[in-house]
Amino acid sequence: LALRETTLADILQSSGYVTGLVGKWHLGAFDPRYHPTRRGFDETVCFRGGMHDYYTWRIEWGTGTVRRGDGRYLTDLWTQEAVQFIHRHQEQPFFLHVTNNAPHTPLQAPEKMVREFDDRDDLTEGVKTLYAMIKAMDEGVARILDTLKRCGLDKNTIVVFSSDNGPQFGGEGENNINRFNCNFNGAKGTVYEGGIRVPGIVRWPAGGIDGGRTVHDMVHFVDWLPTLLAMADVPLPADNLPLDGVD
């Protein structure tokens, strides 16, 4: 990510928010100037790069501590770290960016969860594993939401859930991961609807977004920054580069 760009974390950090990143950081892996702690995040637990093993992982805590796989499933580690961040900063305004790498390859999930899909004869072993990966992520999201509720933060915390692209297809035999895609044409790697139309779920009861509504307007990722800043009543820096996004 170009160093001239200002991130959402940069702006919220300068406005008094504690900022945290938990998960995948695919915006600069080698030059320390591109580390998330230099891009607006106070606390980071992440790997830098694209694909990553879910068990033999190498994770960075900030810029000083590196830990390697200790038996925990990586998706569960992200959830645990996100929950701990919320508990640490429940008395402060915070911005927590949780970037699950699931269900990105490699196809790895707890065997017990994979076997829960054995009654589906229409699924390959690859798809069963991938669905287990998604289920583990779903359970993690539920734990994060439950933590917000237990801390009394669920009403006035803006929660956004989205994804970076549609599902990846391909593979042979039991490793084939072609599957249901809402009857959209295309998948990851294409600009058809199946490749670029992703969930955009927002929850903010105190702000009047309390569920039960479907909005059919088109939204692009560039729209999140100006929209979230407006929701938080945080002004855009006067010297910021022109934005492509719209509130």
Side-chain angles (χ1 to χ4, degrees):
L1 178 66
L3 296 175
R4 66 181 181 276
E5 297 289 353
T6 303
T7 70
L8 179 61
D10 284 323
I11 299 172
L12 292 176
Q13 183 186 57
S14 65
S15 299
Y17 282 71
V18 179
T19 55
L21 169 75
V22 174
K24 174 181 177 179
W25 178 259
H26 203 187
L27 298 171
F30 302 107
D31 189 325
R33 294 178 300 166
Y34 296 85
H35 194 279
T37 55
R38 302 283 291 274
R39 308 313 303 266
F41 289 99
D42 296 307
E43 300 180 18
T44 63
V45 181
C46 68
F47 68 83
R48 291 183 286 155
M51 186 170 63
H52 205 76
D53 195 281
Y54 288 84
Y55 287 104
T56 57
W57 39 260
R58 179 190 180 280
I59 303 303
E60 304 175 9
W61 272 257
T63 57
T65 303
V66 175
R67 300 176 188 169
R68 299 186 182 275
D70 57 12
R72 281 182 291 173
Y73 185 56
L74 189 52
T75 301
D76 295 337
L77 185 153
W78 299 145
T79 300
Q80 182 179 0
E81 291 293 333
V83 166
Q84 291 174 353
F85 179 92
I86 294 170
H87 280 298
R88 284 197 303 274
H89 301 295
Q90 59 182 298
E91 302 297 332
Q92 306 163 270
F94 64 79
F95 168 56
L96 174 60
H97 189 41
V98 182
T99 53
N100 278 287
N101 50 314
H104 199 291
T105 54
L107 298 177
Q108 297 172 324
E111 186 65 18
K112 180 180 179 181
M113 297 187 76
V114 178
R115 300 282 64 88
E116 291 180 27
F117 295 92
D118 277 347
D119 61 335
R120 292 286 303 274
D121 295 333
D122 58 320
L123 305 180
T124 65
E125 194 67 17
V127 174
K128 291 178 183 178
T129 304
L130 195 143
Y131 282 177
M133 297 168 74
I134 294 173
K135 182 176 181 181
M137 181 178 65
D138 284 347
E139 291 181 355
V141 172
R143 277 190 60 197
I144 292 170
L145 293 175
D146 184 61
T147 301
L148 291 173
K149 187 173 183 178
R150 289 173 181 271
C151 292
L153 302 173
D154 56 316
K155 300 301 183 184
N156 200 30
T157 297
I158 302 166
V159 178
V160 177
F161 180 91
S162 193
S163 181
D164 56 348
N165 48 247
Q168 180 179 351
F169 284 176
E172 301 293 334
E174 285 299 312
N175 292 320
N176 185 287
I177 52 175
N178 292 0
R179 59 199 185 278
F180 178 70
N181 190 19
C182 300
N183 295 319
F184 296 142
N185 185 33
K188 178 179 178 178
T190 75
V191 292
Y192 293 115
E193 203 166 11
I196 63 173
R197 181 169 176 171
V198 297
I201 304 171
V202 184
R203 182 185 187 278
W204 185 29
I209 304 177
D210 52 3
R213 288 193 292 161
T214 301
V215 179
H216 293 283
D217 297 338
M218 184 182 292
V219 176
H220 190 275
F221 276 107
V222 296
D223 297 319
W224 287 122
L225 185 145
T227 303
L228 291 172
L229 290 182
M231 293 163 79
D233 197 26
V234 173
L236 189 71
D239 59 350
N240 202 78
L241 292 175
L243 293 180
D244 295 317
V246 176
D247 169 20

